[in-house]
Each structure stands twice: as C-alpha cells, then as structure tokens.
C-alpha cells in the first residue's frame, strides 16, 4: 500500500470561517475543523482566546472581530503551547499574554521543535510563516485558577487548570454568568483528537469529569462547531472521551500481549474509523496519537519531543 500524503500536507483547500456571537460581547470563530478562536468583551477591554498560527492569519480574524468591537486587547489567553495556537500572538498587541505555568515551561523545553513540527504537518495553517517573529512567551502564568473581572455587569472570566489532558498545561476559559466554556483542545466537537502530547488516562477520566462538572450550556472546543445546549455539550465531551477510551482499549490490548506498534495502530484505526474517520484530521493525527499512547503504556511519563524528523519516521512506519 502506498504511503498516504504526510499529515495534512495535502489539505490545501481554504475553509469557510464563521464568526458567531454567542452572547453579548462573546465571540467565536470556527472554520470547518480548523482551530477555533474566540474573544470576550470586558467593560473597556477585550480578552482574546488563542492566537492562530501566524500574525497574518490572526490579523484576518481580528479584522472580522473589529466589525463588532474596537476595544483594546488587554489579555491574550493561550490554552496550551502548540504552535498553531500561539505563534500569531504578535498581531494582538496584548498587554498581557496569559497561560498555565506548565505552558511556559513547555515553550522553553520544546517550543522551537514544535514550531517546526506543526508547520510541517499543517502547512496551510502556517499562512505567511515568515511573519512569525519568534516563539510566543506568556508574560503571566498561574497554577490552578485565576479570574479576570470583566467590569460593569459582565461578570468574570475564570481561567482554570482542570488536569493533564491534551498537554500538561491545558486551561479552559469559563464564563459562569453566561455558562459559556472555551475548552481549547480538551474537547473537540466532531473533529478528531490530536493526542501526541497527551496524558490519555488523566484526560479520559478526571480531567473530562471536571470539564463536564462545570455544567456549561455552550461550549467552544478546539475544533469543530460550537456546541449549544446541554445535550450538545455533553455529546462533545463524551465523543472526546470515547475516542480516548477506544484508543486506550485497543493500544492497551496489543501492548499487553507483546504486539507491535504497527499492530496497535492497525487495531486502533479499525476500531475508530467508522465513527471518526470522516472527521477532520483523523488520518493526520492517529499515527502520532498511537505512538504517544504506546510510549505512555511503556512507562514514558512525559511525551517525547516531536521533531520534523521524528514526525516523518512515525508516519512512514505507520501510515504505509
């Protein structure tokens, strides 16, 4: 069988972007399975959530946002460290770049390698890659929870760490007054999961339990459509959990019987493809997902750093 096109290298078609007003002063931009991004108005400032892959891509989003509000951006909140989420940060000219303390450490430890890896995997998202001035460094971090007073009668925005999941440092942005949750890549709504830097058991268990316990009535995941109403929110959370649990079951069974990584990939692909195979980036993600879970089951506590060279090695081994 011929090797499939590497990761998302063959995905060259532009996606239709949709800006949605979720509540007064609460915005989300979705794009048919591309990374989602959002913004929340304070009384006299803006909080931006996520930064996209490059300043050029981010400025296109900001142009749309400016049709609704001209308030200055005081905070740029980053849910985690992955390049396609953070390297557009310079376009926001934010006073404060906020993230979890682990995210800062991960940028220092593997930010450069992740930049090269993700732009190689998803070249379409790296729009005008030369416009990125360098790594994005949080200027303010926290460990468990911090709040932003939005002023007036707008309530507060709660930034919270709910446990290890998609990475070591994922945070969510929660509007308790509006019951709207920006979940980052801890939840995907009808988009495949990338788990190459994940902690699968924590994510599938206590971390998603804590996400669910917030009782959001509207959820913006890392990719996919906005989930509206409790039924859709719970469905998105449980679809995410099921993807993880099927992986754990399939990879775990092959690992326990002394099989190979290639066999684990084949079993996992077969178990997931009918339900998830038509979702965005499924074929792209799965080799890296299975490789990380295999390492985890082998006692590798923290994810091995992905490099452009390692990406190709894993892809060639499993997707051929």
């Amino acid at each position: 069988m011929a090797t499939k096109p590497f990761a998302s290298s063959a995905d060259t078609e532009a996606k239709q972007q949709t800006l949605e007003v979720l509540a007064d002063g609460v915005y989300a931009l979705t794009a048919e399975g591309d990374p989602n991004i959002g913004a929340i108005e304070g009384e006299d400032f803006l909080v931006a959530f996520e930064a996209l892959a490059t300043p050029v891509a981010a400025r296109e989003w900001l142009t749309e946002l400016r049709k609704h509000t001209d308030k200055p951006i005081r905070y740029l909140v980053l849910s985690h460290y992955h390049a396609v989420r953070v390297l557009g940060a310079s376009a926001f000219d934010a006073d404060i770049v906020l993230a979890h303390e682990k995210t800062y450490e991960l940028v220092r430890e593997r930010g450069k390698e992740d930049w090269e890896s993700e732009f190689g995997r998803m070249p379409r998202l790296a729009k005008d890659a030369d416009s990125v001035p360098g790594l994005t460094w949080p200027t303010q971090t926290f460990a468990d929870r911090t709040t932003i007073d939005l002023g007036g009668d707008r309530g507060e925005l709660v930034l919270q760490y709910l446990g290890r999941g998609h990475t070591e440092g994922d945070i969510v942005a929660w509007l308790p007054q509006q019951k709207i949750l920006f979940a980052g890549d801890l939840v995907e709504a009808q988009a495949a999961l990338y788990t190459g830097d994940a902690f699968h058991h924590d994510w599938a268990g206590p971390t998603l339990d804590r996400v669910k316990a917030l009782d959001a009535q509207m959820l913006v995941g890392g990719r996919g459509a906005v989930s509206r109403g409790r039924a859709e929110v719970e469905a998105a959370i449980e679809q995410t959990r099921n993807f993880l649990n099927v992986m754990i079951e399939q990879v775990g069974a092959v690992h326990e019987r002394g099989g190979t990584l290639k066999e684990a990939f084949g079993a996992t692909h077969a178990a997931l493809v009918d339900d998830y195979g038509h979702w965005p980036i499924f074929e792209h993600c799965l080799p890296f997902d299975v490789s990380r879970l295999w390492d985890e089951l082998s006692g590798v506590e923290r994810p091995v750093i992905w490099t452009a060279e390692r990406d190709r090695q894993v892809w060639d081994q499993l997707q051929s």
Side-chain angles (χ1 to χ4, degrees), residues 40-268:
I40 301 103
E41 287 190 49
E43 186 73 5
D44 56 5
F45 63 91
L46 276 172
V47 181
F49 186 77
E50 310 288 42
L52 296 177
T54 68
V56 169
R59 288 188 193 105
E60 292 178 356
W61 147 242
L62 290 170
T63 296
E64 293 303 308
L65 181 62
R66 290 310 184 195
K67 296 176 182 178
H68 297 267
T69 176
D70 62 359
K71 294 175 182 176
I73 299 170
R74 183 176 299 171
Y75 299 94
L76 172 60
V77 176
L78 304 175
S79 68
H80 62 287
Y81 76 96
H82 283 153
V84 296
R85 301 288 183 184
V86 306
L87 290 181
S90 62
F92 291 80
D93 196 25
D95 296 333
I96 296 169
V97 180
L98 241 172
H100 191 264
E101 61 188 18
K102 279 287 186 184
T103 292
Y104 187 97
E105 294 173 12
L106 288 163
V107 172
R108 182 175 56 197
E109 178 187 55
R110 58 185 70 199
K112 183 177 184 295
E113 291 84 354
D114 182 74
W115 178 355
E116 295 170 354
S117 167
E118 293 216 341
F119 278 27
R121 294 184 192 179
M122 295 172 276
R124 181 177 52 78
L125 298 183
K127 191 167 189 177
D128 292 308
D130 290 344
S131 67
V132 179
L135 292 171
T136 296
W137 294 96
T139 61
Q140 182 175 319
T141 64
F142 65 96
D144 297 312
R145 186 179 189 271
T146 192
T147 61
I148 296 172
D149 184 353
L150 297 173
D153 60 356
R154 293 179 178 274
E156 64 180 10
L157 177 67
V158 179
L159 306 179
Q160 197 163 351
Y161 176 69
L162 299 176
R164 300 189 304 182
H166 175 70
T167 72
E168 286 178 277
D170 298 270
I171 60 171
V172 301
W174 169 231
L175 288 161
Q177 183 169 296
Q178 299 88 343
K179 298 190 78 67
I180 297 173
L181 179 66
F182 290 85
D185 280 322
L186 286 176
V187 180
E188 310 290 9
Q190 297 193 13
L193 273 62
Y194 175 66
T195 74
D197 295 302
F199 297 79
H200 292 78
H201 293 85
D202 287 3
W203 188 359
T207 299
L208 282 180
D209 287 346
R210 295 183 190 109
V211 172
K212 192 171 184 176
L214 291 172
D215 195 32
Q217 297 300 310
M218 198 175 300
L219 183 149
V220 183
R223 294 174 183 259
V226 175
S227 300
R228 299 173 182 271
R230 190 59 193 159
E232 284 192 11
V233 170
E234 290 197 0
I237 293 169
E238 294 309 320
Q239 287 166 356
T240 300
R241 194 194 308 269
N242 185 65
F243 191 105
L244 293 164
N245 282 334
V246 171
M247 283 186 59
I248 291 167
E249 178 184 356
Q250 295 298 323
V251 178
V254 175
H255 191 275
E256 187 175 359
R257 67 171 171 79
T260 66
L261 176 61
K262 178 84 170 181
E263 290 169 338
F265 175 77
T268 306

